[in-house]
Amino acid sequence: MSNMIATRDAYGETLAELGGENKDIVVLDADLSGSTKTGVFAKKFPERFFNMGIAEANMVGTAAGLAAAGKIPFVSTFAIFAAGRAWEQIRQSVAYPKANVKIVPTHGGITVGEDGGSHQSVEDIAIMRAIPNMTVIVPADGPETKLAIRAAAAHKGPVYIRLGRNKVPTVFDDGYRFEIGKGVEVAAGTDLTFVTTGLMTAQAVTAAGLLKKEGVSARVVHIATIKPLDQEIILKAARETGAIVTAEEHSVIGGLGGAVAELLSEKHPVTVKRVGINDRFGTSGKAEELLKYFGLTPQDLVEAARETLAGKR
Amino acid sequence: MKETIAELEEKARELRVSVIKTLHRSQSGHTGGSLSSIDMITALYFHKMRHDPRNPLWEERDRFILCKGHAAPAQYVALAAAGYFPKEDLMMLRRLGSHLQGHPDSKSTPGVEVCTGSLGQGLSMANGMALGLKLDGKGCRVYALLGDGELQEGQVWEAAMAAAHYRLDNLCALIDANSLQIDGEVAKVMNVAPIADKFRAFGWRTLEIDGHDMGEIVAALDNAETIKGAPTVIVARTVKGKGVSFFENKAAYHGVTPSDEELPRALECLGEQCNL
C-alpha cells in the first residue's frame, strides 16, 4: 500500500481513455462534472458529453434512452443523488428493461466529509442491491477502479459503481486481475476473516497486521462486487476460519454486511460481526475524523475481531 | 388524402373494437385512456412512422414511446394489427406468462422500445433516444405520447427543459389531454393548464388539435416534421373513453374494463356486431 489515489480520479482518467477506444461511450452528469471527474471526458469528447443540469431523474431516463439507441451511457453525480434521488428511475427505466447504463456516482459514504449528512450516502449499496438485474461494485482503490470501469463498459446491462471523494491507499498492484462477481483474498489468515469493500479493505489489511502482533491470524477478503456476491470465497472463509467481520463505509443495514449475513445464516452459520455505520446519518467533519467517529479505523476492526473471536462457535 | 384519412378512421374504429374485446377478455386494464389515445396511435403506426413489423429492431425505424404506459392495450392492438405478433396474443393480456404485460415492457413485446408504466419517465427516455439518433446522424424521429395527468410529474418538466436545451427537433411529444385522471378532473386534482403555454415557455413549438379528428392529427404530425431547431408538442384535446358513449368522460372508467353486459352495447357503439 503505497501511493494514494482517489477512485474518482481513476474514473475520470479511465473514462477519457475509453472514450477514445469506443465511440458508443457517452457520459451524462448533473452539474458536478468537476467533482465526479467526468469533466476530463467532457473536454476530450464534448459532443458525447451531456450536462443534464441539476435534474437527476431526467438524467437517468435520458441515459436509458441513449442505451436504447445503442449507446453505452455512463451517468455520474454524487451517490446520494444517483441512488437516492433517482432510485425509481434507475429501477424502472434502467434495471427493469436491463438497459446498458452504467451508474457511476462519486462521493459515496461518510468520507465526503465537511458537506455533512445531507451529502453522505450510507444507504446506496442496500437500495441498489435490492433492485433485480443490478450489478453493484465498490472498488477498493484507484487501480481496481480503472479495471472495474473497463469491466463495466464491456458488461452488457446495468451496473452501479460507487466511488469516493478522497485519496485512498492503493491495495492492488499492476498484476491484479479484476472480474465482476469475484472476490479476492488480499491477506491470508486462519483465525477469522475480514470481508470488506471499498476503502475498508485497506483498513482491514492494516488491522490484520496489528492482529498478527497479538498472535491472531486474520484473513482479508475484498469484495468489490457486492452483487452478484462471490458466495464461494465467503463460504470458504467461513468454513476455514469460523468467524467473519464485515466492514464497509455504509450502513450496517442491507449493504455488504447484510449480504454476507444473509448468505451465511442460510448456508454456513458462523459468528458474524458487521462493522459499518450503525443506522445513523452522517455529519460534518474531516474524513479522517469521521472514520474515527463512526468506528471505521483499523483499531476499530481489531476490537471487532477480538469480540468476534471471543464469541466464536 | 381524403381516402387515406377515411382509411385511418376505419382502422381506428377497428382498433377500438379490438381494445374493447381485449379488455373484456382480460377483465383488467385501462379502458378510458386507451380509447382517448387510439386515434393518435393509429395515425402513428399506420400513417406517419417508418417501421417494419417483421424487423422490430430495424435501425432506421421511427420510435414510439407510450409514456402513459397504462394505455398499453391501445399500443398492443396497434402492434398486433400491424403484424408484430398474432392478434390471438391479445387474449392473453395481463396473464401469467404472456408477453403482453400490464404496462409496456421492451423485454417482452416486439415493437415496444422501453419500459414504461411509472408515469413521468417516458419523455426522458425519448430524449435519450433522440440524442442518440442525432449522434449517429440518423434521420429517424421519436414520438412520445403522454397523458395530461402525467404532466403533474416533475420529471416531465426536467425532460421538457432538456429537450429544448438540446434542440431535439427529431422529437415530437403528443399530449392525450382527456382532462380526467383516476381521482377525477385533472383541473381539480392538480391543474396542469395551460399546457401549450407551459411547453412554449420551456422552448417547445406547440400545435393544438382535436385528438379525435384524424385529419388534424395527420396534419399536425406532418407539420411537426418540418419544424427545425426545437422539439414539437402536439396538445390533443381528447375524450376519455371516446367511441363508447357510456364510457365517455367518466373518470370511473380509468381502470375499469367492460363487463359481459356492457360488451355488446360497447361494440354496438362502435358499429360492430357482437358475435362472441
Side-chain angles (χ1 to χ4, degrees):
Chain A
M1 288 195 288
S2 49
N3 58 329
M4 306 275 286
I5 303 170
T7 51
R8 59 173 166 152
D9 283 318
Y11 170 51
E13 196 183 305
T14 309
L15 200 52
E17 286 167 17
L18 277 170
E21 295 165 23
N22 186 343
K23 66 171 180 49
D24 284 334
I25 304 254
V26 297
V27 177
L28 299 90
D29 204 306
D31 196 38
L32 288 169
S33 60
S35 299
T36 65
K37 305 300 174 186
T38 60
V40 184
F41 179 98
K43 243 186 201 145
K44 269 179 93 172
F45 309 103
E47 73 289 353
R48 280 189 270 146
F49 174 80
F50 302 106
N51 200 324
M52 302 309 294
I54 310 162
E56 296 78 10
N58 179 54
M59 172 167 69
V60 168
T62 305
L66 279 158
K71 302 297 167 194
I72 307 172
F74 278 73
V75 177
S76 291
T77 175
F78 290 178
I80 192 59
F81 307 135
R85 173 69 64 96
W87 185 84
E88 204 249 340
Q89 283 75 18
I90 293 172
R91 176 187 184 273
Q92 166 78 32
S93 297
V94 174
Y96 184 40
K98 293 189 189 164
N100 198 20
V101 174
K102 319 304 165 186
I103 296 150
V104 188
T106 62
H107 294 62
I110 47 108
T111 52
V112 168
E114 292 83 346
D115 275 351
S118 61
H119 283 54
Q120 294 166 358
S121 172
V122 296
E123 313 90 343
D124 56 319
I125 299 172
I127 60 180
M128 285 295 110
R129 187 169 79 85
I131 303 176
N133 296 341
M134 186 57 82
T135 293
V136 180
I137 300 173
V138 187
D141 65 3
E144 188 178 45
T145 298
K146 292 183 179 184
L147 297 171
I149 295 299
R150 286 187 169 275
H155 175 88
K156 226 173 157 42
V159 181
Y160 180 84
I161 303 183
R162 182 209 222 201
L163 303 178
R165 175 190 177 209
N166 293 340
K167 290 185 174 175
V168 291
T170 295
V171 176
F172 296 105
D173 59 26
D174 290 346
Y176 175 57
R177 297 176 80 86
F178 173 85
E179 198 182 326
I180 292 175
K182 288 283 178 219
V184 57
E185 186 179 299
V186 292
T190 52
D191 295 333
L192 87 158
T193 303
F194 289 116
V195 178
T196 58
T197 194
L199 60 77
M200 292 307 291
T201 295
Q203 305 284 69
V205 171
T206 305
L210 296 170
L211 285 164
K212 201 171 185 179
K213 290 177 189 157
E214 298 179 11
V216 175
S217 169
R219 181 181 300 185
V220 179
V221 168
H222 170 61
I223 298 291
T225 312
I226 292 167
K227 185 183 174 183
L229 191 65
D230 185 346
Q231 301 197 2
E232 205 175 306
I233 200 168
I234 294 166
L235 287 168
K236 183 168 179 281
R239 279 194 296 267
E240 292 176 359
T241 69
I244 302 286
V245 174
T246 65
E248 63 202 303
E249 189 196 357
H250 182 273
S251 172
V252 292
I253 299 171
L256 173 67
V260 169
E262 287 160 16
L263 170 70
L264 294 180
S265 64
E266 284 188 355
K267 296 201 172 160
H268 191 86
V270 295
T271 301
V272 175
K273 166 102 183 137
R274 294 166 301 147
V275 173
I277 318 289
N278 288 308
D279 195 17
R280 301 162 67 186
F281 285 108
T283 187
S284 285
K286 290 198 166 60
E288 283 305 315
E289 293 172 339
L290 292 172
L291 286 171
K292 277 197 189 112
Y293 183 78
F294 285 105
L296 300 174
T297 65
Q299 198 52 48
D300 292 304
L301 291 178
V302 166
E303 275 161 35
R306 286 187 195 131
E307 199 181 307
T308 306
L309 285 172
K312 193 168 165 179
R313 296 170 206 193
Chain B
M1 196 64 182
K2 269 226 159 77
E3 274 179 23
T4 311
I5 297 297
E7 282 166 16
L8 287 170
E9 284 168 346
E10 171 56 18
K11 180 63 80 178
R13 188 195 67 81
E14 290 166 15
L15 294 186
R16 279 194 165 84
V17 169
S18 191
V19 164
I20 292 297
K21 287 182 176 171
T22 299
L23 286 170
H24 170 255
R25 179 64 170 258
S26 66
Q27 282 303 299
S28 170
H30 297 79
T31 307
S34 294
L35 292 176
S36 64
S37 59
I38 200 107
D39 295 306
M40 287 181 277
I41 288 176
T42 303
L44 285 166
Y45 276 103
F46 297 96
H47 170 72
K48 193 74 241 175
M49 292 203 302
R50 290 173 301 172
H51 64 117
D52 181 0
R54 285 154 305 172
N55 184 10
L57 297 177
W58 178 43
E59 283 202 3
E60 304 303 321
R61 73 192 183 280
D62 293 330
R63 271 73 165 175
F64 174 71
I65 298 182
L66 185 65
C67 305
K68 48 172 290 184
H70 55 279
Q75 185 179 14
Y76 293 161
V77 298
L79 289 171
Y84 281 86
F85 49 80
K87 286 180 182 163
E88 300 78 64
D89 293 4
L90 294 169
M91 295 299 113
M92 294 296 286
L93 173 68
R94 288 182 168 235
R95 303 250 177 119
L96 184 63
S98 168
H99 72 82
L100 298 175
Q101 293 291 296
H103 294 82
D105 175 6
S106 50
K107 298 187 305 303
S108 301
T109 312
V112 171
E113 302 282 356
V114 293
C115 293
T116 55
S118 172
L119 292 175
Q121 300 191 28
L123 189 58
S124 300
M125 292 188 259
N127 284 354
M129 280 187 180
L131 275 173
L133 291 166
K134 268 185 181 281
L135 270 182
D136 287 342
K138 289 195 187 298
C140 317
R141 291 181 62 75
V142 180
Y143 295 94
L145 179 64
L146 296 84
D148 50 356
E150 183 175 13
L151 302 180
Q152 291 158 356
E153 290 281 5
Q155 188 181 343
V156 170
W157 301 102
E158 293 183 7
M161 203 178 339
H165 181 83
Y166 284 106
R167 302 177 187 278
L168 299 179
D169 51 16
N170 55 345
L171 171 71
C172 177
L174 300 101
I175 311 298
D176 176 9
N178 63 32
S179 305
L180 291 175
Q181 59 189 114
I182 299 179
D183 274 354
E185 292 172 45
V186 174
K188 285 186 181 163
V189 174
M190 181 53 65
N191 193 14
V192 298
I195 296 172
D197 285 351
K198 284 192 171 77
F199 274 97
R200 266 195 292 277
F202 273 74
W204 289 57
R205 302 301 167 80
T206 59
L207 301 167
E208 296 183 74
I209 63 165
D210 174 345
H212 300 305
D213 183 318
M214 194 57 79
E216 286 191 28
I217 296 169
V218 166
L221 289 171
D222 289 345
N223 189 352
E225 213 160 15
T226 66
I227 295 171
K228 298 296 168 204
T232 300
V233 60
I234 298 171
V235 181
R237 290 176 309 280
T238 57
V239 172
K240 198 155 188 162
K242 176 72 178 179
V244 178
S245 56
F246 51 95
F247 288 168
E248 286 185 2
N249 284 318
K250 291 204 175 76
Y253 277 100
H254 175 89
V256 174
T257 52
S259 65
D260 289 345
E261 179 197 63
E262 287 165 338
L263 178 66
R265 290 165 54 211
L267 292 177
E268 197 182 335
C269 289
L270 295 167
E272 191 82 357
Q273 292 299 312
C274 184
N275 50 5
L276 290 177

